[in-house]
Amino acid sequence: MTTIRTGVGDGLTARQVPPPAAAVDILLDCDTGIDDSMAIAYGAGNGARFVACTTTHGNVPSATAGRNTVTVLDALGLTDVPVHVGAHRPMAQALETAEWVHGEDGLGDAGVPASTRPVAGHLAAAEIVRLAHERPGELTLVAVGPLTNLGLALLMDPELPQLVQRVVIMGGAVNTAGNASAVAEANVWHDPEAAQLVVETPWDLTVVGLEITMLTAMPTSAIARIETSQDPRARLIAAVFQHYLGVYAPIIGERTCVLHDPLAMALALEPGMATYRLARAGVELRGELSRGQLVADLRNFDPDPTDPREPGVVRLVDELDVDRFHESFLRALGA
Ligand code: BDR
Ligand code: CA
């Protein structure tokens, strides 16, 4: 077993999250997106029951993310998972997208034929609220894009935090460099006000940030297994991630990529793959150079929080069994 560490732990407060039931009911909010596609594939192969997917601006415009999400779901045989398009821009700043990372079509310009299945328009936040009321205490909310839809849902319904079982987001860069600015990770940077709404809410929030996801680069042997597999799931991901490999190879120094969004999905489904530290956190909203930074207080002189449902308390990843994570990903692709 290979364990990787973020360095956010204090050696005292590492905590396991209790294991979930065999299948987990997932409501996925995404900006699909190459690694969002990988997260959907990871979930499909590892016990996620997708109740619905909602989409946000971020990697691509929200409508493109909706089309891509339904395309990936259909390609994986998940043709009955509804998709709802959501917020088309951030709460308090202009829209910016990241086609240079994900391709003009958001799926690596690999020529993946787009699904023609209808996608519901604009009301993603209302759908999150509706589903949470329909299934109180049952849903795990996984958000792997900017947090505008979740922020809107929180503004709409003060009961939402009590209705959701757990929330897992991919976002932030605690104790490490950002990827959208020197200190900000893309999902938080795209909509800092929405991210702050999510962080300050008293719910059980796991934050999967760059401090751990940047350590998840697959070994080149795993890349080869995906690229040589004849399984249709592996062929899909091998097609869409070529563009991503081109982006990450110069950063990492070899032909591979990291698995941001799949790790959030993995820790929603199998939280025991990692250990965690609780910390008080907030999003920098005003800094000229630091707007969009997720700041966590890792100092030890204050008593560490013990309750993840305290406002502003988040669960940060301390250690991850990265081999187990990679093997689960490969298994999900049949590679
Ligand atoms: C996050 O930003 C997007 O590019 C990825 O899909 C991921 O959710 C990584 O910072
Ligand atoms: Ca994403």
Side-chain angles (χ1 to χ4, degrees):
M1 161 172 140
T2 311
T3 301
I4 53 176
R5 298 200 64 151
T6 57
V8 303
D10 60 1
L12 299 172
T13 53
R15 286 184 187 84
Q16 299 280 347
V17 180
V24 182
D25 290 329
I26 298 283
L27 178 47
L28 176 67
D29 189 66
C30 49
D31 58 336
T32 315
I34 294 172
D35 61 323
D36 306 72
S37 309
M38 294 155 104
I40 295 170
Y42 186 103
N46 283 293
R49 279 195 305 240
F50 289 102
V51 174
C53 294
T54 53
T55 69
T56 174
H57 66 88
N59 293 329
V60 288
S62 188
T64 308
R67 181 57 46 211
N68 290 346
T69 303
V70 81
T71 295
V72 171
L73 287 167
D74 287 3
L76 295 168
L78 301 173
T79 53
D80 56 353
V81 177
V83 176
H84 298 261
V85 172
H88 68 273
R89 53 156 285 185
M91 291 188 173
Q93 64 189 34
L95 173 70
E96 291 204 42
T97 51
E99 284 83 358
W100 68 276
V101 180
H102 296 269
E104 283 306 312
D105 69 355
L107 291 180
D109 299 326
V112 177
S115 165
T116 55
R117 176 152 68 96
V119 168
H122 309 303
L123 295 176
E127 189 60 14
I128 292 170
V129 170
R130 190 189 71 76
L131 285 166
H133 278 269
E134 189 175 276
R135 311 178 65 152
E138 291 179 19
L139 298 181
T140 297
L141 204 45
V142 181
V144 293
L147 294 156
T148 318
N149 288 333
L150 264 64
L152 288 170
L154 287 165
L155 293 177
M156 289 164 76
D157 183 7
E159 284 179 32
L160 185 64
Q162 288 79 55
L163 295 170
V164 170
Q165 190 178 98
R166 285 180 68 213
V167 182
V168 181
I169 66 169
M170 190 283 133
V174 171
N175 247 9
T176 192
N179 59 1
S181 77
V183 292
E185 179 281 331
N187 289 338
V188 177
W189 176 86
H190 276 289
D191 194 341
E193 278 73 18
Q196 175 57 19
L197 284 170
V198 170
V199 167
E200 73 190 19
T201 293
W203 52 10
D204 187 341
L205 173 65
T206 299
V207 173
V208 181
L210 296 182
E211 66 278 5
I212 188 67
T213 66
M214 284 303 292
L215 305 178
T216 62
M218 284 185 284
T220 51
S221 57
I223 301 286
R225 276 169 65 181
I226 296 170
E227 291 184 320
T228 55
S229 170
Q230 293 308 304
D231 189 291
R233 298 165 295 180
R235 291 175 68 93
L236 172 72
I237 297 305
V240 303
F241 82 2
Q242 295 304 321
H243 185 91
Y244 213 50
L245 294 176
V247 171
Y248 273 99
I251 298 170
I252 296 169
E254 55 185 47
R255 190 171 168 275
T256 184
C257 62
V258 294
L259 301 173
H260 301 294
D261 293 351
L263 183 59
M265 180 62 72
L267 297 182
L269 297 171
E270 213 183 326
M273 212 180 254
T275 60
Y276 307 86
R277 176 193 179 168
L278 300 185
R280 296 180 212 286
V283 177
E284 175 56 59
L285 300 177
R286 284 179 290 273
E288 194 180 334
L289 300 175
S290 57
R291 182 170 151 80
Q293 180 181 16
L294 179 69
V295 180
D297 191 346
L298 303 177
R299 296 171 297 177
N300 282 328
F301 58 79
D302 222 8
D304 279 313
T306 54
D307 182 1
R309 287 181 180 265
E310 256 183 64
V313 170
V314 303
R315 201 185 290 279
L316 298 170
V317 176
D318 182 9
E319 292 186 343
L320 171 72
D321 182 347
V322 71
D323 290 345
R324 191 161 137 206
F325 170 51
H326 286 156
E327 278 309 319
S328 297
F329 183 52
L330 293 167
R331 192 180 54 242
L333 301 183

